[in-house]
Amino acid sequence: MATPVTRSLALNYYRGFLRSASQFRTYNFKSYVQRRAMEDFRANKGQSDPATIKQLLFNAKQQLEVVRRQAMVNQIYAKDMNVLEVAKAEKALGLA
């Protein structure tokens, strides 16, 4: 069972992944990061070995840093919105 400190750290990393995913302007990257974060965190939810948990948290921190950098690059060099993003934006504005 994870200690409260590691649990809160894991939740912070998970929220960080989801926040970073929302920074992507490209739908495919955004959904990939969200899906990958959910799958990876759910797959390792039952880990109880402290050494394994420590390694997983270290890996999560490194991957989160990579995702944050990629989100910044994606914002700088993003292309126009695709069909799904246009439809979502129109729906949010009440145009659809």
Side-chain angles (χ1 to χ4, degrees):
M1 181 173 187
T3 65
V5 173
T6 57
R7 179 177 168 78
S8 66
L9 189 58
L11 288 173
N12 284 340
Y13 288 152
Y14 181 70
R15 283 188 216 111
F17 275 106
L18 296 182
R19 268 189 238 110
S20 295
S22 69
Q23 298 292 317
F24 281 95
R25 293 177 60 190
T26 308
Y27 174 80
N28 291 333
F29 290 144
K30 184 184 301 189
S31 63
Y32 173 77
V33 171
Q34 289 172 340
R35 185 179 68 248
R36 185 68 191 263
M38 285 190 287
E39 289 173 358
D40 288 348
F41 277 83
R42 283 183 184 158
N44 294 305
K45 183 179 179 181
Q47 290 292 334
S48 59
D49 180 38
T52 305
I53 293 172
K54 186 176 179 180
Q55 183 63 38
L56 288 169
L57 290 174
F58 179 75
N59 290 343
K61 181 179 179 181
Q62 288 183 324
Q63 291 301 315
L64 182 56
E65 291 171 2
V66 170
V67 168
R68 285 179 176 159
R69 284 193 304 269
Q70 290 298 325
M72 282 191 275
V73 170
N74 183 262
Q75 287 177 352
I76 294 169
Y77 298 107
K79 296 186 181 214
D80 294 333
M81 291 191 283
N82 66 20
V83 175
L84 295 173
E85 294 167 327
V86 170
K88 185 177 179 181
E90 288 175 349
K91 186 176 180 181
L93 294 173
L95 300 174

